[in-house]
Amino acid sequence: MKKFFWIFIVLIFVVVALAVILFLIVNRVNMDFAKKAETCFVYDNINSKNLLNDKELKELKTIFDGKIMYSDNPSCGFTEDISVKFNNNQTFCIARDHCPIVYWKEKNKYIRLSENEKTKLYDLLSPYGFFFPCV
């Protein structure tokens, strides 16, 4: 009887572990799709849209790649007017305040950045007119 109990416990552990691993794999950002990126900053008399060069695209992909996507409803404020659009069809809206969060519109998911990654993102976008906060 004890043998079946331990087999049952191990089986449950394996199933839970596989579910967690699958969840983490499915909900990770994979930036391999991104072949081009365009910035959009429309705020306070600024209307800026710019195509990023290959080096900047690579930096953006490095920032986002591998991040975990999650569902939430943060109050940071997101709009397509302050975003980066990849391949003309995937929109990453940047939090308008200082939250280190990006909203992936088409997937209806959020991506949390580290403070260092947020700083890199801001530094990359500032030459194109971006400034934060912009609420």
Side-chain angles (χ1 to χ4, degrees), residues 4-49:
F4 291 114
F5 173 77
W6 287 111
I7 290 173
F8 181 72
I9 294 296
V10 168
L11 185 60
I12 289 192
F13 177 76
V14 169
V15 168
V16 169
L18 288 174
V20 168
I21 290 169
L22 182 61
F23 172 79
L24 292 175
I25 290 172
V26 169
N27 287 304
R28 289 213 179 255
V29 176
N30 182 345
M31 294 299 295
D32 289 343
F33 73 90
K35 303 302 179 205
K36 70 176 188 170
E38 181 180 32
T39 65
C40 177
F41 190 82
V42 179
Y43 177 78
D44 198 30
N45 297 323
I46 298 173
N47 188 347
S48 173
K49 292 190 179 195

Side-chain angles (χ1 to χ4, degrees), residues 53-63:
N53 64 39
D54 290 339
K55 180 183 177 206
E56 294 164 328
L57 172 62
K58 184 177 179 182
E59 288 179 47
L60 277 179
K61 288 170 72 169
T62 300
I63 291 170

